[in-house]
Amino acid sequence: MMTIVLVVEDTLSEQELISLYLRNAGYTVITANDGKEAMEKTLAQKPDVIVTDVVMPNMNGFELCRSIKKNPQTQKLPVIACTSKTQELDRLWGMKQGIDVYVTKPFTQEELVRAVRSVAN
């Protein structure tokens, strides 16, 4: 069975790059442009892993993660933050919000795929 990864990224070029990396590694990819859309798609399409940017309009990646971890239907879903916020404080705050793996931009295809592989069943 294919692992489905939901990529949440408001910058189209970044979204396309992340999606390409994951498709090349054999994952099925669905995309969302912000946290609100991501939450809707998570409930409707039940992805196996979420890769989310942190800084986005409407609902940021940390808010999305909190919503996912609070919902009994989705609380076990692994969330990977893929962000340009590189400070240790950002990383610690992310972990407090329930982020499972923290990847900082710029990243390589290998780093991203390794992060997804580490949480995908």
Side-chain angles (χ1 to χ4, degrees):
M1 207 171 97
M2 294 291 287
T3 299
I4 300 169
V5 182
L6 172 59
V7 174
V8 191
E9 171 62 71
D10 60 320
T11 307
L12 195 60
S13 58
E14 295 269 350
Q15 189 187 92
E16 286 174 353
L17 182 68
I18 293 167
S19 298
L20 177 71
Y21 283 174
L22 293 172
R23 283 191 188 106
N24 285 347
Y27 294 103
T28 299
V29 177
I30 51 180
T31 58
N33 299 312
D34 61 50
K36 276 200 168 79
E37 185 186 348
M39 204 60 216
E40 289 162 14
K41 286 193 172 177
T42 297
L43 295 170
Q45 300 183 34
K46 313 264 186 282
D48 301 297
V49 180
I50 294 179
V51 175
T52 184
D53 187 17
V54 173
V55 183
M56 297 181 293
N58 301 327
M59 178 193 272
N60 72 38
F62 291 155
E63 291 168 327
L64 170 63
C65 187
R66 282 199 302 270
S67 297
I68 286 165
K69 299 298 182 177
K70 267 197 296 218
N71 185 326
Q73 290 175 48
T74 56
Q75 63 190 13
K76 300 242 185 294
L77 190 59
V79 179
I80 298 171
C82 192
T83 178
S84 52
K85 294 172 87 57
T86 57
Q87 300 295 316
E88 190 55 29
L89 196 63
D90 295 318
R91 185 183 294 266
L92 290 170
W93 179 245
M95 297 302 180
K96 264 201 168 75
Q97 309 309 303
I99 298 290
D100 295 283
V101 181
Y102 200 93
V103 177
T104 54
K105 297 174 184 173
F107 51 84
T108 63
Q109 178 168 342
E110 189 186 336
E111 285 170 318
L112 182 66
V113 171
R114 192 181 316 123
V116 172
R117 203 172 282 141
S118 75
V119 295
N121 293 338

